Amino acid sequence: MKTLFDLSGKVALVTGGSRGIGRAISLALAAHGARVAVNYASNAAAAEETVREIGAEQATAIAGDVSDPAAAAKIVEGTIVAYGRIDILVNNAGVTADGLILRMSEADWDKVIDTNLKGTFSVTKAAIRPMVRQRFGRIINVSSVAGIVGNAGQANYSAAKAGIIGFTKAIAKEVASRGITANVIAPGFVDTEMTASLTDAQREEIMRLVAAGRTGTPQDVAPAAVFLASDEAAYITGHVLTVDGGLVMY
């Protein structure tokens, strides 16, 4: 009998796959049998540590900044050179540059849009062509509840994450006939390096809205990626799966 969520023989690329949610997803996909290309922009040590934990025979680190379209294409190319194909793409790479709109610089707006939204576009565009040829693919884009309900002080981040949702639904319609699904994971308040800078007051304000009564962890998010990457999710596309402890219910 086939094991549920078996990813044996599949090749995954996880952008921003060396830390936080990306690292947890890389480890989880590998634990279910996938070979994993762990993309990173600058922290080679973290990427190599993730590869060592998975095992060098099953993972490789690939450098590249997704905000650069040429680099994004090379990240996908590097995955195919390493493993001969790409079956699963997890667009997870992201940055923040928070500030109220009246104080937000154009540079901070562009930085977040270029990495979080344009980066998702560039990597996806490069990955879809080989997926179409093989008539199989799983595209999983990591958004945020900020893209659903907005977040004060994060107009750039909220716009990028909302854009990812619309982008994913559009491409889901474009490629469904080719055996490719495209879905979104929208994490809530998850303890990562990205949220470490929040003040106690900000944390308390957010936690008032979390029905589960606790912050999330990267390990809470990773199983959603495994499910959406699996054969069991073949009839799910264009969906936004919130992993937020009930935050957006309010």
Side-chain angles (χ1 to χ4, degrees):
M1 182 177 176
K2 182 180 180 293
T3 303
L4 284 175
F5 317 130
D6 183 8
L7 303 178
S8 300
K10 300 293 196 298
V11 173
L13 166 61
V14 183
T15 69
S18 66
R19 293 184 288 179
I21 291 172
R23 181 176 184 276
I25 289 174
S26 294
L27 294 173
L29 293 174
H32 284 78
R35 289 173 289 174
V36 183
V38 179
N39 161 252
Y40 67 97
S42 58
N43 194 333
E48 292 298 341
E49 181 184 339
T50 302
V51 168
R52 279 195 300 272
E53 185 162 347
I54 294 171
E57 72 286 347
Q58 198 180 347
T60 189
I62 298 181
D65 184 345
V66 300
S67 68
D68 175 359
K74 287 181 179 177
I75 293 165
V76 174
E77 181 183 339
T79 303
I80 295 171
V81 167
Y83 296 122
R85 58 189 290 126
I86 179 169
D87 302 290
I88 301 159
L89 169 61
V90 181
N91 282 302
N92 168 76
V95 297
T96 57
D98 296 349
L100 297 173
I101 186 66
L102 290 174
R103 299 172 187 166
M104 185 175 290
S105 68
E106 186 175 348
D108 282 346
W109 173 270
D110 289 345
K111 174 184 176 182
V112 172
I113 296 296
D114 285 351
T115 298
N116 298 15
L117 182 55
K118 186 177 178 182
T120 296
F121 158 76
S122 297
V123 180
T124 302
K125 183 178 179 181
I128 276 183
R129 192 175 299 277
M131 287 180 176
V132 166
R133 284 198 298 267
Q134 68 199 23
R135 300 190 72 82
F136 179 88
R138 297 284 186 266
I139 298 167
I140 302 163
N141 295 327
V142 179
S143 177
S144 167
V145 294
I148 300 172
V149 299
N151 197 17
Q154 288 191 315
N156 48 6
Y157 186 77
S158 298
K161 293 302 189 178
I164 286 172
I165 292 172
F167 169 77
T168 305
K169 290 183 177 184
I171 64 168
K173 292 180 178 180
E174 291 184 18
V175 298
S177 65
R178 305 304 180 95
I180 302 168
T181 65
N183 292 289
V184 174
I185 298 172
F189 184 32
V190 177
D191 274 324
T192 64
E193 290 180 24
M194 195 175 284
T195 60
S197 61
L198 292 176
T199 66
D200 288 343
Q202 288 172 317
R203 285 174 173 270
E204 288 175 12
E205 180 66 20
I206 294 169
M207 288 307 300
R208 279 195 318 103
L209 303 176
V210 179
R214 67 170 178 87
T215 58
T217 69
Q219 290 72 32
D220 288 320
V221 180
V226 172
F227 169 62
L228 291 173
S230 71
D231 289 343
E232 286 74 17
Y235 201 56
I236 299 172
T237 196
H239 182 69
V240 181
L241 176 56
T242 57
V243 184
D244 66 348
L247 176 59
V248 297
M249 289 196 298
Y250 299 96

